């Protein structure tokens, strides 16, 4: 099953059992969604539950908040992460705060989903990542999806939960193949150990997990070591327990993310490790992240602006040699 | 409009059409990447609007290759940008959606739908404060006129009586969504009516677009404040090269293509401006040569140096 099909199946199943679930966004209905996540849903559930909206992101999320207040479970799709910025007021001032400000009286069972990240030469206004901003807002659950099985289970969970979720997908993962274990009782807040290892803990999320996995054979053979690779999955809350257990075992931490390095989400993980895991670590942690520049169109520059399997391998090998891995 | 200008408009329309086909071909060959929004079918609108609004500042969208060239940006520099080359008008950093040339008062190339409209309002405010002769023109689609930025801009521009021409290119579609499904009416000028004078025009006819923009410009110069012009057009291709255009029926497409602005304007040139076939052939040949040269130039242009990645993040070093 493809990543986008897993998301589609999750939505479809939840819409079938719960008729308060609606989905709204630009071209989600007749067009089937720009990444085909909502394909076939309008035919099944009608235009009243699969709602094509105007190009008005602030209203898409603002309306979803109101729908949730009114007793629905809206799943809002924003076409691309960069366009979610137009909805940030609604996400941060409304979606994240009404429950707390009302002393728990207002409940917002809703999901805002969007893909983000560097795709292929879509340039500065279509390539950025925003988890760092969203994760610093109390009151939002933030999930990031790399794995196909996780996509299915986590989206179902998020839709049926009574809390507001931001559900982050990646532009380049929609056609990724994977198995879904439909029987599994998956905890969406638990980090996923993608590969077990003894010597280096490499933490990542979204598409970078796959890039890290591609770089691992080169790292292991160059350093004669074994790497443990962890997909964070949930970015807020963070599953520190799983991270701590891994670091205790390996004593070494590498954090890899696609986003700009300064203020990037990985700084939270490394700051936590500095506070809580200092005496477990045998080397200063390594952080690999995107350059502090807007994403350029030219392919060579674009690839130079983010970690790639090659650059990840090179940097980790150099760091490993310096730190006696 | 005189014969010479009509011929010039025709030249840029043919140039635009052939340029877009060449861009598409090079996209298929992998020389151009990312999002590529073609202006095929809307050349009359894009060229005549630029030729009528010759001098002021221009704020456009991601569907701007033809406008950029009609504004005087060299086809070579535009094609090289699509190829991501250093000689491109944005140094290869912007690509198809982000053509910038302040020396031609051309400020993008914005790919956040509606995002350029408040920028144009601000620029018009600056021009008013400076007592400038020329105003500002902002181009956006029917889809953009459903967004908050658009409504806020109408209000602010009208309140300050800014020298701003709102130019709505209504091709009835925002990607796959017809305007009738995203707004209560097809005519977007209705939204502007409470705030300013509105004009509407058949955007498939170059002479009509030209005259209407001239009229709007005159009204702005006479101190009427902002004017809203709506041009009805039809794009012949999908929203971008990666859109299969499956939401429009063959019937709708043939109705649309029957309004081909090139066919119409060529007839105008022959009948109204008494151009000879030979004259028109020469123009067409010249346009094709310009496109061929642009492609050859782009192919031979240089890849940006990797150091360019860190250039132009800021103006000043600290
Ligand atoms: C804020 C924002 N939301 C969504 C998009 C995705 N998008 C790009 S173009 C487009 C349709 C725009 O339609 P319209 O304004 O009519 O212009 P046209 O493409 O027809 O020229 C959409 C939805 C975007 N670029 N920016
Ligand atoms: Mg349109």
């Amino acid at each position: 099953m493809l990543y986008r099909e897993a998301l589609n199946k999750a939505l479809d199943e939840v819409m079938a059992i719960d008729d308060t679930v609606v989905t709204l966004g630009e071209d989600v209905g007749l067009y089937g969604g720009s990444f085909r996540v909502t394909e076939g849903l309008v035919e099944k559930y009608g235009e009243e539950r699969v709602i094509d909206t105007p190009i008005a992101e602030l209203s898409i999320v603002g309306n979803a908040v109101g729908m949730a207040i009114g007793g629905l479970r809206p799943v809002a799709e924003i076409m691309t992460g960069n366009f979610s910025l137009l909805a940030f007021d609604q996400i941060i001032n409304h979606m994240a705060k009404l429950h707390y400000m009302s002393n728990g009286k207002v409940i917002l069972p809703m999901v805002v989903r969007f893909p983000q990240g560097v795709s292929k030469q879509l340039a500065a206004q279509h390539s950025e990542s925003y988890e760092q901003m969203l994760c610093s807002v109390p009151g939002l659950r933030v999930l990031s999806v790399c794995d196909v099985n996780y996509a299915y289970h986590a989206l179902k969970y998020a839709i049926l939960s009574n809390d507001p979720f931001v559900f982050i997908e990646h532009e380049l993962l929609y056609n990724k193949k994977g198995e879904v274990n439909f029987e599994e009782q998956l905890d969406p807040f638990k980090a996923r150990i993608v590969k077990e290892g003894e010597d280096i803990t490499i933490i990542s999320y979204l598409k970078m997990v796959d890039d890290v996995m591609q770089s691992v054979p080169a790292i292991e053979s160059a350093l004669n070591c074994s790497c443990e690779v962890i997909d964070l999955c949930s970015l807020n809350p963070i599953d520190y327990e799983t991270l701590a257990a891994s670091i205790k075992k390996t004593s070494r931490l590498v954090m890899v993310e696609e986003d700009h390095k300064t203020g990037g989400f990985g700084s939270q993980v490394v700051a936590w490790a500095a506070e809580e895991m200092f005496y477990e670590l045998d080397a200063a942690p390594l952080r690999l992240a995107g350059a502090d520049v807007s994403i350029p169109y030219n392919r060579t520059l674009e690839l130079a602006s983010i970690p790639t399997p090659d650059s990840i391998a090179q940097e980790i090998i150099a760091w490993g040699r310096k730190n006696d891995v | 409009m005189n014969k010479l200008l009509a011929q010039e408009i025709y030249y840029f329309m043919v140039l635009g059409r052939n340029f877009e086909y060449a861009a598409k071909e090079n996209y298929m060959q992998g020389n151009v990447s990312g999002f590529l929004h073609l202006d095929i079918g809307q050349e009359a609108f894009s060229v005549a609007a630029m030729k009528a609004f010759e001098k002021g500042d221009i704020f456009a969208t991601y569907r701007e290759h033809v406008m950029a060239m009609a504004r005087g940006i060299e086809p070579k520099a535009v094609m090289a940008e699509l190829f991501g080359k250093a000689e491109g008008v944005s140094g290869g950093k912007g690509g198809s959606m982000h053509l910038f040339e302040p020396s031609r008062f051309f400020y993008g190339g914005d790919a956040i739908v509606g995002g350029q409209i408040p920028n144009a309002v601000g620029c018009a405010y600056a021009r008013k404060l400076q007592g400038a002769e020329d105003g500002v023109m902002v181009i956006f689609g029917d889809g953009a006129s459903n967004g908050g930025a658009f409504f806020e801009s109408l209000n602010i521009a009208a309140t300050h009586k800014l020298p701003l021409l709102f130019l709505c290119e209504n091709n009835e579609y925002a990607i796959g969504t017809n305007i009738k499904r995203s707004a209560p009416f097809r005519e977007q000028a209705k939204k502007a009516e409470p705030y300013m004078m509105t004009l509407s025009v058949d955007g498939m006819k170059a002479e009509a677009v030209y005259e209407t923009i001239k009229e709007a410009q005159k009204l702005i110069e006479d101190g009427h404040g902002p004017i809203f012009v709506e041009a009805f057009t039809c794009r012949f291709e999908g929203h971008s090269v990666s859109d299969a255009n499956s939401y429009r029926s063959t019937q709708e497409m043939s109705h649309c293509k029957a309004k081909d602005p090139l066919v119409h304007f060529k007839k105008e040139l022959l009948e109204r401006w008494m151009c000879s076939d030979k004259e028109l052939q020469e123009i067409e040949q010249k346009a094709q040569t310009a496109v061929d040269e642009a492609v050859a130039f782009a192919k031979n242009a240089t890849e940006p140096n990797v150091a360019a990645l860190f250039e132009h993040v800021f103006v000043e070093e600290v």
Side-chain angles (χ1 to χ4, degrees):
Chain A
M1 181 173 277
L2 304 180
Y3 181 97
R4 68 173 154 79
E5 291 169 341
L7 296 169
N8 179 273
K9 190 157 172 57
L11 255 170
D12 190 359
E13 285 181 13
V14 177
M15 290 187 86
I17 56 164
D18 183 345
D19 60 17
T20 67
V21 177
V22 299
T23 186
L24 66 158
E26 294 154 21
D27 284 310
V28 298
L30 292 192
Y31 195 78
S34 14
F35 295 96
R36 298 170 62 191
V37 170
T38 52
E39 199 168 60
L41 297 180
V42 73
E43 289 81 356
K44 269 191 172 165
Y45 304 106
E47 288 188 47
E48 286 183 346
R49 288 181 64 202
V50 182
I51 308 158
D52 276 325
T53 68
I55 307 169
E57 287 77 9
L58 177 127
S59 286
I60 294 173
V61 177
N63 296 167
V65 168
M67 288 170 175
I69 289 173
L72 300 178
R73 287 184 179 276
V75 182
E77 173 179 297
I78 304 288
M79 238 177 221
T80 291
N82 282 72
F83 317 152
S84 76
L85 294 175
L86 281 97
F88 259 45
D89 166 59
Q90 284 295 336
I91 295 174
I92 296 175
N93 279 324
H94 305 263
M95 177 175 165
K97 297 199 188 348
L98 295 196
H99 183 67
Y100 189 80
M101 290 195 301
S102 68
N103 204 27
K105 288 179 184 159
V106 175
I107 289 175
L108 298 177
M110 62 179 288
V111 180
V112 172
R113 353 175 337 261
F114 57 80
Q116 65 170 31
V118 172
S119 174
K120 196 174 172 219
Q121 293 193 260
L122 300 187
Q125 293 180 331
H126 282 75
S127 304
E128 227 160 31
S129 300
Y130 296 108
E131 65 278 5
Q132 79 293 8
M133 295 195 218
L134 294 161
C135 287
S136 69
V137 180
L140 295 177
R141 300 276 192 221
V142 184
L143 305 183
S144 72
V145 188
C146 171
D147 181 51
V148 176
N149 186 52
Y150 184 80
Y152 169 81
H153 290 287
L155 183 55
K156 274 181 93 166
Y157 184 100
I159 299 172
L160 296 172
S161 162
N162 288 323
D163 280 314
F165 278 71
V166 175
F167 194 86
I168 305 179
E169 299 157 21
H170 195 285
E171 298 246 350
L172 287 179
L173 293 176
Y174 285 109
N175 289 323
K176 176 177 169 178
K177 284 204 184 85
E179 295 288 319
V180 174
N181 177 357
F182 294 104
E183 310 309 319
E184 189 176 341
Q185 292 290 320
L186 183 141
D187 176 355
F189 302 115
K190 229 178 146 35
R192 187 171 64 98
I193 300 190
V194 186
K195 176 190 171 298
E196 289 189 24
E198 304 299 323
D199 306 303
I200 306 175
T201 296
I202 309 178
I203 300 173
S204 192
Y205 56 97
L206 283 165
K207 179 179 169 279
M208 281 296 134
V209 175
D210 291 347
D211 288 20
V212 166
M213 285 302 288
Q214 275 189 51
S215 71
V216 159
I219 298 165
E220 292 186 335
S221 76
L223 297 178
N224 193 20
C225 72
S226 81
C227 301
E228 179 145 300
V229 179
I230 299 179
D231 173 5
L232 283 170
C233 296
S234 173
L235 302 183
N236 195 358
I238 299 171
D239 176 10
Y240 290 122
E241 218 177 294
T242 300
L243 308 188
S246 177
I247 293 168
K248 273 194 185 130
K249 177 170 64 170
T250 63
S251 310
R252 289 183 189 87
L253 167 62
V254 177
M255 176 72 218
V256 185
E257 71 208 271
E258 185 182 302
D259 191 17
H260 314 303
K261 188 165 187 179
T262 302
F265 179 77
S267 57
Q268 172 59 31
V269 174
V270 172
W272 160 81
E275 281 183 323
E276 305 290 333
M277 305 299 294
F278 190 79
Y279 297 106
E280 304 288 340
L281 289 167
D282 284 350
L286 173 67
R287 257 191 87 205
L288 302 180
D292 287 326
V293 302
S294 294
I295 313 295
Y297 167 74
N298 172 278
R299 184 64 173 160
T300 311
L301 298 186
E302 181 183 57
L303 287 176
S305 77
I306 52 168
T308 61
D310 284 346
S311 75
I312 293 168
Q314 273 169 28
E315 303 246 15
I316 295 182
I317 292 166
W319 169 85
R321 292 207 168 116
K322 217 170 65 190
N323 289 289
D324 302 322
V325 175
Chain B
M1 191 187 292
N2 57 33
K3 179 172 173 175
L4 209 63
L5 179 60
Q7 286 182 333
E8 190 188 338
I9 289 176
Y10 184 64
Y11 168 75
F12 278 101
M13 286 172 65
V14 179
L15 173 73
R17 168 92 36 118
N18 296 359
F19 183 97
E20 296 293 64
Y21 277 123
K24 187 178 176 181
E25 192 182 314
N26 278 282
Y27 181 92
M28 300 303 171
Q29 291 168 4
N31 296 326
V32 175
S33 187
F35 280 136
L36 181 65
H37 307 84
L38 302 176
D39 210 12
I40 296 169
Q42 304 188 139
E43 299 90 348
F45 165 79
S46 296
V47 173
M50 287 302 134
K51 290 298 168 190
F53 203 87
E54 281 168 290
K55 289 212 212 95
D57 306 274
I58 302 293
F59 289 78
T61 71
Y62 45 83
R63 201 184 296 287
E64 87 286 36
H65 312 155
V66 180
M67 290 186 201
M69 291 187 292
R71 219 338 135 91
I73 303 177
E74 285 299 323
K76 287 177 182 170
V78 178
M79 192 60 87
E81 187 59 36
L82 269 56
F83 275 59
K85 298 292 179 73
E87 291 85 342
V89 66
S90 302
K93 279 181 174 164
S96 157
M97 302 193 287
H98 305 300
L99 307 175
F100 289 87
E101 191 45 273
S103 71
R104 301 267 167 198
F105 302 98
F106 195 89
Y107 302 100
D110 200 290
I112 300 301
V113 170
Q116 78 281 16
I117 310 176
N119 302 158
V121 170
C123 188
Y125 193 94
R127 294 295 176 246
K128 186 179 173 191
L129 203 64
Q130 294 154 347
E133 268 175 41
D134 306 304
V136 178
M137 180 160 82
V138 59
I139 299 100
F140 51 91
D142 47 291
S145 9
N146 286 329
F150 168 75
F151 289 97
E152 292 175 23
S153 296
L154 291 176
N155 184 57
I156 295 168
T159 302
H160 292 287
K161 282 201 168 12
L162 299 181
L164 177 59
L165 201 165
F166 286 85
L167 179 55
C168 177
E169 162 233 86
N170 188 341
N171 56 19
E172 298 193 349
Y173 280 90
I175 309 188
T177 299
N178 190 285
I179 186 68
K180 286 177 210 135
R181 298 181 62 249
S182 63
F185 35 73
R186 170 176 174 260
E187 298 78 16
Q188 299 307 295
K190 286 187 183 163
K191 294 173 177 171
E193 269 163 20
Y195 298 93
M196 60 193 70
M197 194 186 279
T198 68
L199 302 169
S200 75
V201 62
D202 179 350
M204 304 302 269
K205 301 203 163 103
E207 69 287 2
V209 173
Y210 184 86
E211 299 305 336
T212 308
I213 302 285
K214 276 287 180 212
E215 186 187 339
Q217 203 175 25
K218 176 95 193 4
L219 288 164
I220 291 170
E221 273 168 22
D222 292 348
H224 277 258
I227 309 284
F228 186 100
V229 176
E230 178 167 27
F232 293 95
T233 65
C234 181
R235 65 167 155 81
F236 288 3
E237 303 272 316
H239 170 71
S240 72
V241 179
S242 40
D243 168 28
N245 197 24
S246 55
Y247 42 86
R248 291 192 288 178
S249 67
T250 347
Q251 197 192 355
E252 183 176 346
M253 286 317 299
S254 60
H255 183 71
C256 169
K257 286 186 178 167
K259 293 187 270 187
D260 192 329
L262 278 177
V263 175
H264 167 81
F265 201 56
K266 187 169 184 173
K267 201 156 159 264
E268 280 285 297
L269 285 164
L270 290 167
E271 291 169 8
R272 183 157 156 223
W273 301 109
M274 305 296 177
C275 292
S276 67
D277 283 329
K278 186 161 166 285
E279 272 177 310
L280 296 187
Q281 273 162 18
E282 274 170 21
I283 292 173
E284 288 159 11
Q285 191 49 55
K286 195 177 135 206
Q288 185 55 50
T289 306
V291 172
D292 293 342
E293 284 174 4
V295 173
F297 177 82
K299 281 187 177 153
N300 294 323
T302 44
E303 274 285 312
N305 195 310
V306 177
L309 184 61
F310 296 99
E311 286 166 8
H312 306 303
V313 178
F314 291 104
V315 178
E316 293 168 16
E317 297 284 334
V318 287

